[in-house]
Amino acid sequence: MNDDNPLSIGQFARLVRLSVKQLRHYADLGLLPPARVDPDTGYRYYRADQARDAMSIGLLRSLDVPLAAIKDVLSTQDPARVLGDVRDRLDDELARRRRSLAALERILASGLPTAEVTLRREEPQRVAVVRDVADSPEDIGRVTGACVGRLLALLAAGEQGKPKEGKEGAEGLRLVGLFPVDLGEYIPITITAALPEDRPAPPGTTADLLPGGTFACATHTGPYDQISLTAHALVAWCVERGHTPTGPIRELYLNDPAVTAPDQLVTQLLIPLEETL
């Protein structure tokens, strides 16, 4: 079989285990154009040496590799780089689905989210701040972890050379994350740590003041990636009782994830409420 004896699209489809419809679609995308198209009949013909690319496309599609990435694989001298990026995206998606499954398991075991909510007063607090933006709700965990790590490193660097007085370091910090009630396309994330009155904000952070006021408060026990369940219940409680949130949800992290099992992590969630006269 050679270039002088081309294969019809039907013959080629059977040989490479693709459908005629798939071959037409791949041709329209420029992924696998036919070797020749009869100008009179419009019939498409393929060469035998196109079989390897055709079967590679079929294999990669069976592995959920997007067509755009497959086109890059076939045209690049470094297919491992392209496929490595695809693998990383699939791995991220798998991690997201595992988190979703864990949250569903919690709902199956305990029912739809509920929380014991109390009202409490908070005083204004001077804080050191770092900020970043998540591109999607699925990216919140990664960005939050990066912000926490950056803030702890900057605080530790700022403490070098200072005399230690009482409980110092990460274990003595009051870390608070601030997240918008409404999760839009881009999600601003703020991580803060309390500052003593006589301490300036370390280089690389910004000094700010967390407002005080009345807050609706609920406690979440369990992994950080399931905090959204308690946040759901807390926001629902506020809406049901006619309370108007006036700022972002605060997450107060009460223990160290480095030494605490995920199911034993304790996080307080606070929503600032509009003051009533």
Side-chain angles (χ1 to χ4, degrees), residues 13-272:
R14 288 191 293 273
L15 286 173
V16 299
R17 299 195 291 184
L18 295 172
S19 70
V20 169
K21 182 179 179 180
Q22 286 174 310
L23 288 174
R24 289 184 180 277
H25 182 50
Y26 298 156
D28 291 343
L29 294 175
L31 189 59
L32 187 68
R36 183 171 69 86
V37 179
D38 188 293
D40 297 322
T41 63
Y43 291 168
R44 305 179 185 208
Y45 297 92
Y46 291 81
R47 300 188 312 271
D49 61 8
Q50 291 181 283
R52 183 175 294 276
D53 280 353
M55 297 193 72
S56 295
I57 293 170
L59 171 63
L60 294 174
R61 283 302 294 138
S62 73
L63 299 175
D64 289 333
V65 178
L67 288 172
I70 294 174
K71 189 172 185 179
D72 290 340
V73 168
L74 297 179
S75 62
T76 184
Q77 298 298 314
D78 186 15
R81 176 190 59 78
V82 178
L83 292 176
D85 291 342
V86 173
R87 176 205 57 205
D88 292 343
R89 288 196 293 272
L90 287 174
D91 195 46
D92 290 343
E93 175 64 14
L94 180 59
R96 186 190 70 79
R97 289 187 177 276
R98 283 175 174 158
R99 291 192 296 270
S100 296
L101 284 171
L104 281 173
E105 289 290 351
R106 183 168 179 144
I107 291 172
L108 285 170
S110 307
L112 289 172
T114 60
E116 183 177 338
V117 180
T118 59
L119 296 177
R120 81 183 197 196
R121 296 288 301 180
E122 284 279 310
E123 296 301 318
Q125 174 69 62
R126 286 184 69 247
V127 290
V129 174
V130 296
R131 293 183 173 92
D132 207 337
V133 174
D135 293 334
S136 66
E138 292 75 27
D139 200 32
I140 289 176
R142 181 191 66 81
V143 175
T144 300
C147 283
V148 169
R150 191 164 90 243
L151 179 58
L152 292 177
L154 292 169
L155 291 171
E159 290 296 318
Q160 289 181 3
K162 292 184 179 180
K164 302 297 182 184
E165 298 177 3
K167 192 176 185 182
E168 298 287 345
E171 61 180 318
L173 291 176
R174 186 178 191 259
L175 289 180
V176 178
L178 279 69
F179 306 88
V181 176
D182 297 321
L183 300 180
E185 182 178 0
Y186 297 104
I187 303 159
I189 293 173
T190 301
I191 303 296
T192 78
L195 279 174
E197 290 295 331
D198 59 343
R199 293 279 178 87
T205 70
T206 303
D208 204 347
L209 185 71
L210 280 185
T214 300
F215 291 76
C217 176
T219 299
H220 173 81
T221 302
Y224 291 146
D225 56 29
Q226 294 181 13
I227 287 177
S228 61
L229 298 178
T230 303
H232 171 95
L234 180 58
V235 172
W237 184 93
C238 292
V239 173
E240 288 169 352
R241 286 157 180 79
H243 292 295
T244 303
T246 61
I249 298 176
R250 299 185 188 183
E251 295 181 1
L252 174 57
Y253 310 109
L254 299 184
N255 42 19
D256 184 352
V259 296
T260 307
D263 61 349
Q264 296 177 5
L265 291 169
V266 179
T267 308
Q268 285 188 342
L269 277 68
L270 298 90
I271 295 182

